[in-house]
């Protein structure tokens, strides 16, 4: 909970003289939040940890640019966001071979939509009710982990953070048609995964 | 007429970009005739609503960064 409440430290002007000490304290206060943020966006915990570390080192180097106008949390998250995007930009485009099953299930799902909806009539998800359901997060994480990283990143930006299509394409340097194909595959695979995980029975 | 596959693709696209009147018409007429695609349309809509509500609730998540990792980062900060 500490990362929610201690956004601004009243002593920050004093501590600004000692950035290492201040950042070290922020590792304790905001580390979990940053880690969770990264963990939802990449498929390995090691990579998430590395991205958080890179974020803190960057924050130290750019310390003079932190003016205390935004909260520490907001500042760190904005650095992390950029580091994650850099990570994806450096990666080569992913292909169906990156899927654990070589894309077989996905190709099938994409070409035979009828396969996915055996329980279609019973899937009437009520957002408020499901948000409270602990299983949702677990299922989302499991299902996201099955997506190739590039799809996951785009999906999270669009359908969880509600970033605009235009901005996502610009940030990631991809075309709208490329985006469209990846979102389509990501959404259908996630939907299929949620249904397989028993979400139709929620109602 | 469009195929189920084409309809599925449009069902995803319509969340992200404005569809042309022609595409919308094709999609709507397909959904009127195909119960399966109509059900998929509803599922995608429901899931999108749920996912959009997740970011604000993310601070309730239970995962923590391992303590050793925090120590490692603090060590790295001191060594800079």
């Amino acid at each position: 909970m500490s990362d929610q409440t201690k956004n601004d430290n009243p002593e920050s002007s004093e501590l600004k003289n000692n950035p290492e000490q201040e950042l070290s304290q922020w590792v304790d206060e905001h580390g979990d939040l940053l880690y969770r943020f990264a963990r939802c966006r990449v498929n390995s915990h090691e990579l998430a940890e590395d991205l958080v570390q890179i974020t803190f080192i960057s924050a130290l180097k750019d310390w003079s640019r932190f003016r205390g106008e935004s909260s520490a949390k907001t500042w760190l998250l904005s650095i992390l966001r950029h580091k994650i995007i850099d990570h994806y930009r450096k990666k080569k485009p992913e292909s169906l071979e990156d899927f654990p099953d070589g894309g077989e299930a996905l190709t099938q799902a994409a070409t035979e939509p009828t396969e996915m909806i055996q329980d279609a009539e019973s899937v009437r998800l009520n957002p408020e009710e499901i948000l409270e359901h602990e299983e949702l997060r677990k299922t989302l994480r499991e299902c996201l982990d099955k997506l190739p990283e590039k799809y996951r990143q785009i999906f999270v930006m669009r359908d969880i953070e509600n970033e605009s299509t235009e901005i996502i394409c610009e940030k990631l340097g991809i075309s709208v048609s490329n985006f469209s194909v990846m979102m389509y595959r990501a959404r259908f695979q996630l939907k299929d995964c949620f249904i397989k995980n028993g979400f139709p029975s929620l109602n | 007429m469009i195929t189920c596959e084409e309809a599925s693709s449009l069902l995803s696209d319509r969340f992200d970009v404005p569809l042309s009147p022609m595409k919308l018409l094709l999609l709507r007429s397909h959904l009127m005739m195909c119960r399966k695609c109509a059900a998929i349309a509803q599922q995608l809509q429901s899931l999108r609503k749920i996912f959009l509500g997740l970011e604000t609730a993310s601070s309730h998540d239970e995962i923590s960064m391992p303590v050793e990792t925090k120590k490692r980062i603090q060590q790295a900060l001191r060594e800079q």
Side-chain angles (χ1 to χ4, degrees), chain B residues 1-72:
Chain B
M1 267 304 284
I2 53 173
T3 63
C4 287
E5 195 183 351
E6 288 164 329
S8 297
S9 168
L10 291 175
L11 282 176
S12 173
D13 281 350
R14 68 175 178 167
F15 292 127
D16 310 316
V17 290
L19 294 187
S20 69
M22 179 53 89
K23 281 183 178 171
L24 269 180
L25 187 67
L26 287 169
L27 178 60
R28 283 188 189 138
S29 34
H30 183 93
L31 294 181
M32 281 170 73
M33 315 225 278
C34 176
R35 277 180 69 220
K36 284 173 178 169
C37 284
I40 290 178
Q42 183 159 8
Q43 292 166 346
L44 289 177
Q45 185 100 38
S46 300
L47 282 170
R48 185 162 152 81
K49 271 192 206 164
I50 290 165
F51 294 142
L52 283 176
L54 275 178
E55 192 180 32
T56 46
S58 63
S59 53
H60 298 301
D61 215 333
E62 74 289 352
I63 331 174
S64 305
M65 187 160 65
V67 179
E68 313 83 73
T69 308
K70 287 181 185 168
K71 287 189 175 144
R72 190 187 77 201

Side-chain angles (χ1 to χ4, degrees), chain A residues 102-116:
Chain A
E104 198 181 311
L106 179 61
T107 308
Q108 191 188 357
T111 52
E112 298 175 33
T114 51
E115 284 293 304
M116 297 178 286

